[in-house]
Amino acid sequence: MSTSFKALERAPRDSRRPLAEILAAVGFNADGLIPAIAQQHDSGEVLMMAWMNREALEETLRSGRVCYWSRSRGKLWRKGESSGQQQRLRSAALDCDGDTLLLQVEQTGPACHSGRRSCFYVALEGDEARIDSDPLIDPDTLYGKG
């Protein structure tokens, strides 16, 4: 944990620090990434987890449109650029160690590439895994395939 985040442990409510100072102290991993959990702002539903680098985080904070780092594509990925299912940022918060982001978002349609509202649809129950939701949109329709 950085000294900046350690100092925040005892900071009173509504204390303020310059954003540049906090971003400089964020605990990006060895690949320069931080996990970002997207949660629907009004329902609390956890939609997905993706990765952000500093550029994606800064763009998200500046533009209000959520941008991630795609490890598979090796580039910035603006949520919804191919599917139209965008996320608008309502608020962002770092955890106490500065190594995980929680994004409160306004999600348009499904958040998951499977066409489901949430990426967390495989329920682990006893000795089975159960699919607990249906796609809202067929993935082939969502991404213009087929």
Side-chain angles (χ1 to χ4, degrees):
M1 177 188 322
S2 76
T3 56
S4 292
F5 280 93
K6 189 70 174 162
L8 294 176
E9 288 179 358
R10 299 194 187 284
R13 183 183 182 127
D14 291 328
S15 296
R16 297 185 180 270
R17 304 295 316 150
L19 182 60
E21 174 189 320
I22 298 304
L23 291 181
V26 167
F28 293 100
N29 69 16
D31 295 322
L33 303 173
I34 186 172
I37 300 164
Q39 183 178 38
Q40 178 65 29
H41 74 95
D42 54 357
S43 69
E45 178 184 22
V46 176
L47 300 171
M48 59 180 281
M49 190 292 273
W51 297 94
M52 286 185 161
N53 63 9
R54 184 168 176 155
E55 183 181 2
L57 177 54
E58 288 175 340
E59 179 177 318
T60 297
L61 294 173
R62 182 181 63 254
S63 72
R65 180 173 173 191
V66 180
C67 178
Y68 297 106
W69 175 258
S70 172
R71 295 179 302 163
S72 61
R73 298 177 204 142
K75 66 178 191 170
L76 292 176
W77 158 49
R78 289 150 191 94
K79 181 70 174 154
E81 66 189 350
S82 56
S83 69
Q85 310 303 307
Q86 296 183 16
Q87 290 177 349
R88 300 298 297 171
L89 184 68
R90 297 296 291 262
S91 67
L94 287 158
D95 75 336
C96 58
D97 296 324
D99 62 5
T100 303
L101 278 164
L102 178 61
L103 307 174
Q104 298 286 320
V105 302
E106 185 172 336
Q107 174 69 46
T108 302
C112 185
H113 74 278
S114 71
R116 290 174 172 83
R117 176 75 177 162
S118 171
C119 292
F120 297 96
Y121 62 87
V122 181
L124 306 177
E125 300 171 341
D127 62 353
E128 296 180 323
R130 179 181 61 82
I131 306 304
D132 69 6
S133 67
D134 290 320
L136 300 174
I137 301 172
D138 181 280
D140 290 340
T141 302
L142 191 61
Y143 295 98
K145 300 175 186 170

